[in-house]
Amino acid sequence: MPSTRWRALGPGSILGTLRADMRKATREVMVVGPFIDDYFAEATVASCPSGALLRVLTRSPASVAPTFEEHMEAALARFRHRPVTEVRTLDRLHAKLMLVDETIVFCGSANWYRYSLEESLEVVLRGPVSDAPTLLDEVASLWDQAEVWKGERSSSRAHVPTPAARSPISDGFRAEVLDPIAAAKLASVRGAFVLGTKTTSRKARR
């Protein structure tokens, strides 16, 4: 029997639905995901009511791919400038979900950066938290394992964009992010390769 309590969201509808639900939050919005860029951080801060607590659980910039590191730093800087916001990091995090007032959950394949939300072929489910009785306990466990983000930079870059300083970083990350953890695992397996790079790897071995 088809469920009327859950919706499947695809490319073009994910971010708009997220924004609409965040605007209705009265207590708390929680974002969980390994990769967040400034584009998504700005959309989240703009949509989340000023009186609602915003909690963010993500990886530290040092644990993401070098090409994405600056985008992550910019996102965390944006969250840091918002009052009533808590940010924690957990470097092995892979879960991707959002909770609104602990009543609505978004979960699926999409990461919280522009390419994944607008161009990549992702599916995100939106439904009631009450349908997943242990969900809040699992999320609480991840939160308890994480470290409070104190705003340290992972490099000596001269500048990280703030809300008043727009830059190309603010337009979001427009490519797929390769997970360094997955890349390390692939490198340790003989014959493994990332789709689209096998030919290059063979040439390099000749």
Side-chain angles (χ1 to χ4, degrees), residues 46-59:
S47 301
C48 189
S50 59
L53 171 64
L54 174 59
R55 291 199 292 160
V56 179
L57 179 58
T58 188
R59 294 187 186 180

Side-chain angles (χ1 to χ4, degrees), residues 55-206:
R55 291 199 292 160
V56 179
L57 179 58
T58 188
R59 294 187 186 180
S60 67
S63 71
V64 302
T67 54
F68 193 73
E69 188 176 335
E70 193 170 3
H71 291 266
M72 180 71 89
E73 288 182 335
L76 295 179
R78 184 67 186 93
F79 289 133
R80 194 166 62 247
H81 281 83
R82 181 191 184 271
V84 202
T85 300
E86 300 175 7
V87 179
R88 294 190 182 187
T89 59
L90 188 61
D91 286 351
R92 293 182 62 199
L93 182 71
H94 194 258
K96 299 170 278 284
L97 57 89
M98 177 183 284
L99 296 166
V100 179
D101 286 339
E102 295 188 342
T103 59
I104 296 173
V105 60
F106 291 82
C107 58
S109 62
N111 280 289
W112 309 129
Y113 62 90
R114 191 166 189 173
Y115 175 83
S116 185
L117 290 167
E118 296 185 351
E119 299 180 51
S120 186
L121 301 179
E122 312 283 359
V123 174
V124 171
L125 298 179
R126 176 198 181 276
V129 171
S130 59
D131 281 2
T134 61
L135 175 61
L136 296 181
D137 290 337
E138 293 295 334
V139 173
S141 175
L142 293 175
W143 184 259
D144 290 343
Q145 294 175 56
E147 297 182 359
V148 175
W149 174 249
K150 298 179 181 178
E152 302 93 336
R153 294 185 186 179
S154 58
S155 67
S156 57
R157 292 191 182 91
H159 178 65
V160 173
T162 65
R166 307 302 292 168
S167 77
I169 294 293
S170 305
D171 290 330
F173 196 74
R174 301 294 192 103
E176 187 64 77
V177 176
L178 178 61
D179 187 339
I181 296 176
K185 289 293 185 182
L186 283 171
S188 68
V189 178
R190 181 179 178 85
F193 64 95
V194 177
L195 189 64
T197 63
K198 188 172 183 180
T199 302
T200 301
S201 300
R202 282 177 172 171
K203 289 180 178 179
R205 291 196 297 268
R206 289 176 181 173

